[in-house]
Amino acid sequence: AQSVTQPDIHITVSEGASLELRCNYSYGATPYLFWYVQSPGQGLQLLLKYFSGDTLVQGIKGFEAEFKRSQSSFNLRKPSVHWSDAAEYFCAVGSRLQFGAGTQVVVTP
Amino acid sequence: GAVVSQHPSWVICKSGTSVKIECRSLDFQATTMFWYRQFPKQSLMLMATSNEGSKATYEQGVEKDKFLINHASLTLSTLTVTSAHPEDSSFYICSAGNVAGVYNEQFFGPGTRLTVL
């Protein structure tokens, strides 16, 4: 059975610092992998997705993620966070979107 | 981009009453719509998948008689929580997809907060 794990429930980062959110998955084949962001009062927004090809994926809002098959990981990164990046981030796997538990990102001045 | 709306954005009802939540795709036709439930500080759990004109497919453990889903048109799906009880209080999110094939990208609505007193 497929599963998604986001080990970090909560991350606090200073504005301008780099951010990395971890995602590990369990899947029988090469999965479809996604990162979504959820801000209060707004729907989930797709940041990026990986289906195949280049393992480093560029997304919107300056985010990128790297698929590492050997580690079953798809970690999300941003070199320099902005206060507006404070939100809940979800990793998801599969065509039917099984979501991880989410990581709450807090950005401090 | 594709826009999905939900109405109402929040609703409070008495125990035993029924509540209807609407999900609309505003600028595209959604062949498939999905309904999720999200508890505080938790992830989204898929409740059901509905295709226009056919019966919804419910996930294991979701009561189909409790959560009635209707997908009567390519732009509208409704979720009715029947005889709601306090344990049904949650955040309900819909998504809509419009691309047939292996991967059907989903566009999410803003969610509906249901509180049952």
Side-chain angles (χ1 to χ4, degrees):
Chain A
Q2 62 190 47
S3 65
V4 185
T5 302
Q6 291 180 247
D8 304 304
I9 296 173
H10 185 275
I11 285 181
T12 299
V13 60
S14 300
E15 190 169 15
S18 64
L19 173 69
E20 181 168 12
L21 304 181
R22 296 183 292 166
C23 174
N24 294 97
Y25 66 89
S26 172
Y27 201 77
T30 300
Y32 299 140
L33 294 161
F34 311 85
W35 275 101
Y36 285 86
V37 60
Q38 184 181 35
S39 299
Q42 299 182 30
L44 272 74
Q45 183 179 22
L46 179 66
L47 290 174
L48 47 78
K49 59 182 182 279
Y50 172 79
F51 290 171
S52 64
D54 193 346
T55 57
L56 184 62
V57 181
Q58 300 298 320
I60 62 171
K61 303 185 178 186
F63 285 93
E64 66 177 25
E66 186 171 11
F67 170 60
K68 292 185 177 180
R69 184 190 303 275
S70 61
Q71 299 177 19
S72 296
S73 68
F74 189 57
N75 294 347
L76 182 71
R77 298 191 295 257
K78 185 168 184 177
S80 177
V81 298
H82 186 262
W83 62 266
S84 60
D85 294 322
E88 185 90 21
Y89 291 80
F90 291 97
C91 180
V93 63
S95 58
R96 283 159 49 83
L97 288 184
Q98 181 162 350
F99 286 87
T103 299
Q104 181 73 44
V105 173
V106 173
V107 180
T108 59
Chain B
V3 179
V4 176
S5 70
Q6 281 185 242
H7 178 79
S9 55
W10 59 270
V11 57
I12 301 173
C13 70
K14 292 182 179 179
S15 185
T17 61
S18 294
V19 175
K20 180 183 285 187
I21 302 169
E22 294 186 347
C23 176
R24 293 182 184 272
S25 57
L26 299 185
D27 52 2
F28 68 100
Q29 294 185 324
T31 53
T32 307
M33 287 185 168
F34 304 83
W35 286 95
Y36 296 84
R37 185 172 180 176
Q38 184 181 28
F39 291 102
K41 306 298 183 184
Q42 294 188 32
S43 187
L44 285 76
M45 300 298 295
L46 180 64
M47 298 174 65
T49 303
S50 72
N51 293 295
E52 184 265 340
S54 60
K55 290 184 178 180
T57 301
Y58 290 81
E59 296 299 303
Q60 190 172 10
V62 177
E63 301 176 60
K64 58 183 66 178
D65 295 330
K66 174 76 166 175
F67 300 99
L68 301 179
I69 292 172
N70 183 281
H71 192 166
S73 77
L74 287 172
T75 60
L76 173 65
S77 176
T78 59
L79 168 67
T80 301
V81 183
T82 63
S83 187
H85 288 91
E87 57 267 28
D88 298 323
S89 298
S90 191
F91 194 53
Y92 293 89
I93 301 172
C94 75
S95 70
N98 68 336
V99 179
V102 176
Y103 170 58
N104 185 346
E105 180 166 353
Q106 297 181 34
F107 302 95
F108 287 81
T112 296
R113 174 79 57 194
L114 170 63
T115 301
V116 184
L117 302 177

